[in-house]
């Protein structure tokens, strides 16, 4: 099973899980050219097709949704709140299926459970995918780790988690107005490096073995700092960690 990171960061987010010929996209915040390059022009088996799970309606997560639909013809799964925004943006409602948080949905080769995240969007979700004994969760765009979110992603073996900003870099950033800093730091903003590191530590107690530090801010973070956090994940928690970079496509076998 391949985990394709096509885009991850403040400028755009798009992931694709390839599982036995089936494509599972999470978010569509990338150009079609980037998606094709990230997948090396592979396409799903015609009989199996593709699905697109959308976390929320912010531009960096849906800017490429219409081109992705035209190329891969996926069915779309998201919350009622996000679905309403997608419909306003011209997505055909016949291919949008609304799903509810904390319910496990069964597909032919996998399961998925949406869970709520604290973010300033209509009805944002994260997703927990099950592939037999393997569990992969994607949790980005949230300001705090709620009890509900933590419970949802417990017993995850592989996690993509937001590690958006370093506290000192954000606070000292003179280009960011105070209202924007407050928004990022709020409960419905984004998760800091330190909070992501703490979450990984707690999840390591219930079986987390692999994690990806994603949705990194290009203005309030530093890849050298993040690599130190990644090293600490391995040395302290025995969790292998990789830093996802906005302009670097990557594929991982999981």
């Amino acid at each position: 099973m391949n985990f394709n990171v096509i885009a991850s960061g403040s400028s755009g987010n798009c992931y694709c899980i390839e599982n036995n010929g089936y494509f599972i996209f999470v978010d569509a915040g990338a150009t079609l050219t980037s998606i094709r390059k990230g997948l090396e022009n592979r396409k799903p088996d015609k009989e199996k097709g593709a699905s697109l799970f959308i976390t929320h309606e912010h531009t960096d997560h849906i800017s490429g949704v219409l081109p992705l639909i035209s190329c891969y013809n996926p069915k779309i799964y998201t919350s009622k709140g996000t679905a309403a925004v997608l419909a306003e943006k011209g997505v055909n409602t016949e291919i949008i299926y609304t799903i509810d948080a904390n319910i496990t949905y069964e597909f032919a080769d996998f399961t998925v459970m949406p869970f709520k995240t604290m973010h300033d969007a209509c009805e944002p979700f994260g997703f927990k995918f099950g592939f037999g004994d393997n569990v992969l969760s994607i949790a980005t765009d949230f300001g705090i780790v709620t009890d509900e979110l933590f419970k949802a992603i417990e017993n995850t073996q592989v996690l993509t988690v937001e590690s958006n900003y370093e506290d000192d870099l954000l606070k000292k950033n003179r280009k960011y107005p105070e209202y924007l800093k407050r928004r990022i730091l709020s409960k419905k903003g984004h998760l800091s490096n330190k909070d992501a590191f703490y979450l990984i530590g707690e999840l390591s107690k219930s079986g987390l073995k692999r994690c990806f530090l994603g949705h990194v801010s290009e203005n309030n973070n530093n890849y050298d700092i993040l690599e130190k956090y990644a090293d600490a994940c391995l040395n302290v928690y025995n969790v292998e960690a990789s830093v996802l970079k906005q302009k670097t496509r990557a594929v991982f076998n999981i």
Side-chain angles (χ1 to χ4, degrees), residues 235-250:
N235 295 330
V236 178
Y237 302 136
N238 197 32
V239 175
E240 184 182 357
S242 299
V243 178
L244 305 182
K245 299 180 179 180
Q246 180 72 78
K247 298 179 181 179
T248 304
R249 294 182 294 274

Side-chain angles (χ1 to χ4, degrees), residues 1-2 17-23 44-45 48-49 108-110 131:
M1 183 167 62
N2 287 339
I17 303 165
E18 293 182 68
N19 182 48
N20 295 325
Y22 189 81
F23 279 24
D45 290 347
K48 294 190 174 182
D109 296 317
F110 69 98
F131 304 92

Side-chain angles (χ1 to χ4, degrees), residues 24-217:
I24 303 168
F25 290 97
V26 178
D27 287 337
T31 65
L32 184 56
T33 298
S34 296
I35 294 170
R36 284 173 169 167
K37 285 183 178 179
L39 296 174
E40 297 179 336
N41 290 315
R42 294 187 299 276
K43 285 197 172 184
D45 290 347
K46 290 183 179 180
E47 294 182 358
K48 294 190 174 182
S51 294
L52 170 59
F53 294 85
I54 297 182
T55 60
H56 64 292
E57 77 280 5
H58 288 171
T59 301
D60 56 323
H61 294 262
I62 66 165
S63 61
V65 66
L66 292 177
L68 188 151
I69 291 169
S70 68
C71 183
Y72 297 96
N73 193 32
K75 295 179 180 178
I76 298 175
Y77 300 91
T78 191
S79 68
K80 294 180 178 66
T82 304
V85 178
L86 292 174
E88 291 174 359
K89 293 184 177 295
V91 178
N92 182 359
T93 57
E94 292 183 0
I95 64 171
I96 301 176
Y97 298 81
T98 57
I99 50 180
D100 296 314
N102 305 318
I103 294 176
T104 298
Y105 295 86
E106 295 187 4
F107 290 76
D109 296 317
F110 69 98
T111 63
V112 61
M113 186 189 78
F115 53 88
K116 294 179 181 179
T117 58
M118 290 284 286
H119 196 52
D120 55 353
C122 286
E123 193 180 353
F125 276 168
F127 297 104
K128 182 178 183 178
F129 297 96
F131 304 92
D133 294 331
N134 296 319
V135 179
L136 180 152
S137 296
I138 296 179
T140 66
D141 296 80
F142 57 98
I144 60 169
V145 180
T146 62
D147 291 341
E148 181 179 347
L149 185 150
F150 184 81
K151 183 179 179 180
I153 61 176
E154 262 191 312
N155 304 311
T156 292
Q157 285 87 49
V158 181
L159 173 69
T160 298
V161 64
E162 175 169 60
S163 193
N164 184 257
Y165 65 90
E166 181 70 9
D167 293 84
D168 288 343
L169 295 180
L170 174 60
K171 291 174 183 176
K172 294 177 181 178
N173 189 338
R174 296 181 179 179
K175 295 182 180 180
Y176 270 42
E178 288 303 315
Y179 79 87
L180 185 53
K181 292 181 182 181
R182 288 194 297 271
R183 180 245 172 189
I184 294 169
L185 290 163
S186 74
K187 292 180 180 180
K188 292 187 175 182
H190 291 282
L191 201 69
S192 70
N193 294 337
K194 291 179 182 177
D195 288 339
F197 182 68
Y198 178 79
L199 174 60
I200 290 164
E202 292 300 299
L203 291 172
S204 70
K205 300 173 184 177
S206 60
L208 181 66
K209 296 299 181 184
R210 186 82 169 91
C211 72
F212 301 96
L213 305 177
H215 208 294
V216 177
S217 170

